[in-house]
Amino acid sequence: MSVSSDMRNKMIKYNYLEDLPNEILRETFSYLHALDLFYALNNLNQRISSILKEIRLHVLIERNTSRCQIGFLCEKLYDHCDQVISMDISNESFDRTNLIEYLFEEYFFVNLVWYRFSSFASKSNFEYVLRKLKKQNEVVYLNIDDMESAETDNAIRDRAHLFSKEILLDPPSKLRHLIFRIPYNYPGLIDCPIGNSNLTSIELNFYGKHDNKSIYVLIYVFRLHRSLRRIRAVFENYIKPGCVYVG
């Protein structure tokens, strides 16, 4: 028996976004990036606006994110900064050379647990941002990635030393996973006391060949962070990079 087109159209049921229950919308929105959410759903209706005030937010600013997009996102964050739980920021995004510092000056992300910053140390007020990071009591994961040459940029090495002093030697209490991709030799670890941090995973980049001196530094890392279960050490000699994994 054939079905006419009129009958077929009557049998088709269309569902719209507003037909979904709030629970499904909250769960779906919590997997999307904040900028995309605000662009697509901002001021759509009162119900959606109410849901946007209840969900977890993930802030992603990439290298190709425009200044207009960053400005729009920053405006929205004034009313939503306490919902942000993760940040993935490229400091090279559209000529905003101090973007990371600006975010820490303007907002206090009280519920942040996950950070990833790239092109960070060479362009920001590093010491200021580290002090702000120390006050983030809920942070569990921290990833700072700036692979500019430590051979030619003394400022990078100075900031790496500051990071070693402020974060590596005295990490926030809830920090579990730490990645720091700036080549450095961490001489301060040799004289550090025995610690008892909660870090369970660390990745560090070392400048120079993986000789005995560098290997011995890893012993002090274990001495400082006695809860460690995984450490990844990357040795950069800028001619033929090599990796050493210690499990």
Side-chain angles (χ1 to χ4, degrees):
M1 182 178 68
S2 61
V3 180
S4 66
S5 59
D6 291 339
M7 182 65 70
R8 187 182 299 110
N9 291 335
K10 290 180 180 179
M11 294 171 61
I12 297 175
K13 183 179 180 180
Y14 292 95
N15 290 314
Y16 298 92
L17 180 68
E18 291 84 353
D19 296 330
L20 297 174
N22 287 357
E23 292 76 12
I24 293 181
L25 290 178
R26 290 192 194 98
E27 185 68 18
T28 302
F29 293 168
S30 67
Y31 288 96
L32 303 177
H33 298 302
L35 180 60
D36 296 332
L37 279 172
F38 292 138
Y39 257 121
L41 304 174
N42 182 52
N43 295 327
L44 182 63
N45 57 50
Q46 186 174 355
R47 180 188 173 214
I48 297 298
S49 296
S50 178
I51 293 175
L52 290 179
K53 294 179 180 179
E54 301 171 355
I55 62 174
R56 301 164 298 181
L57 291 176
H58 308 278
V59 173
L60 172 66
I61 300 178
E62 300 177 290
R63 180 176 299 183
N64 61 351
T65 303
S66 70
R67 180 178 298 177
C68 179
Q69 290 173 319
I70 293 173
F72 175 80
L73 176 62
C74 290
E75 179 183 347
K76 296 302 176 183
L77 285 179
Y78 282 111
D79 296 324
H80 298 273
C81 64
D82 60 330
Q83 299 169 238
V84 177
I85 64 168
S86 74
M87 295 179 66
D88 190 344
I89 308 294
S90 171
N91 209 43
E92 293 182 339
S93 53
F94 203 79
D95 197 35
R96 193 62 176 269
T97 54
N98 289 308
L99 175 60
I100 298 172
E101 180 183 353
Y102 171 80
L103 291 172
F104 276 96
E105 284 180 345
E106 289 293 314
Y107 314 99
F108 182 60
F109 303 101
V110 64
N111 292 313
L112 258 175
V113 297
W114 195 98
Y115 290 86
R116 182 180 181 274
F117 299 137
S118 59
S119 302
F120 177 85
S122 60
K123 296 180 180 178
S124 292
N125 186 332
F126 197 64
E127 185 173 7
Y128 171 82
V129 175
L130 286 184
R131 289 200 302 267
K132 289 289 187 177
L133 278 173
K134 297 279 283 188
K135 296 179 181 179
Q136 300 290 330
N137 297 324
E138 301 300 317
V139 59
V140 174
Y141 176 96
L142 175 61
N143 182 336
I144 297 178
D145 188 346
D146 194 329
M147 289 303 296
E148 295 187 30
S149 174
E151 205 172 31
T152 59
D153 193 345
N154 291 329
I156 292 292
R157 284 180 287 182
D158 291 342
R159 293 181 175 99
H161 175 74
L162 184 62
F163 168 86
S164 175
K165 176 182 176 182
E166 295 293 334
I167 301 294
L168 189 59
L169 297 180
D170 185 23
S173 60
K174 293 187 179 181
L175 187 63
R176 297 294 186 272
H177 306 279
L178 176 63
I179 298 174
F180 190 63
R181 293 195 178 108
I182 297 180
Y184 188 56
N185 284 330
Y186 303 96
L189 293 178
I190 296 177
D191 299 322
C192 70
I194 295 176
N196 193 26
S197 76
N198 293 313
L199 277 170
T200 60
S201 174
I202 289 181
E203 178 179 328
L204 298 173
N205 281 63
F206 292 84
Y207 168 61
K209 297 180 180 180
H210 43 277
D211 53 16
N212 289 337
K213 182 179 178 181
S214 297
I215 292 295
Y216 282 135
V217 170
L218 299 180
I219 298 175
Y220 294 102
V221 173
F222 280 109
R223 181 184 179 188
L224 179 62
H225 304 292
R226 300 171 69 182
S227 298
L228 272 179
R229 297 294 179 267
R230 175 185 177 274
I231 181 170
R232 181 175 187 262
V234 180
F235 294 86
E236 299 282 348
N237 58 24
Y238 299 100
I239 300 175
K240 186 180 180 181
C243 297
V244 172
Y245 299 89
V246 181

